[in-house]
């Protein structure tokens, strides 16, 4: 079975949760992070298209 997703890991200190990104064969990326649940942020962003969501990534997160 061929893998469809190639994860790009970051090193993290023990006990700290880190974001990570992955690459799909067609060039799209997947990002792991915390869901935005803050009502003020969600209100400022406004309505998102169906199927989309917002994630919070650490300030030092790399997307490569």
């Amino acid at each position: 079975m061929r893998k469809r997703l190639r994860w790009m890991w970051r090193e993290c200190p023990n006990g700290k949760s880190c974001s990570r990104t992955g690459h799909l064969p067609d060039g799209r990326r997947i990002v792991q992070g915390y869901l935005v649940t803050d009502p003020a942020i969600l209100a400022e962003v406004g309505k998102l298209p169906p199927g989309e969501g917002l994630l919070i990534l650490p300030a030092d997160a790399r997307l490569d």
Side-chain angles (χ1 to χ4, degrees):
M1 180 177 186
R2 192 175 121 197
K3 285 189 175 185
R4 293 193 41 158
L5 178 61
R6 183 180 54 144
W7 283 109
M8 308 302 288
W9 290 85
R10 279 188 38 207
E11 293 295 324
C12 298
N14 284 342
K16 183 177 179 183
S17 181
C18 293
S19 62
R20 63 180 177 164
T21 62
H23 297 271
L24 294 169
D26 63 7
R28 293 179 296 166
R29 291 185 178 191
I30 292 178
V31 178
Q32 176 185 348
Y34 292 101
L35 292 175
V36 175
T37 58
D38 183 313
I41 294 173
L42 294 171
E44 186 174 330
V45 170
K47 187 175 180 179
L48 296 173
E52 288 191 9
L54 299 173
L55 297 176
I56 295 175
L57 302 176
D60 62 348
R62 291 181 50 196
L63 297 177
D64 56 357

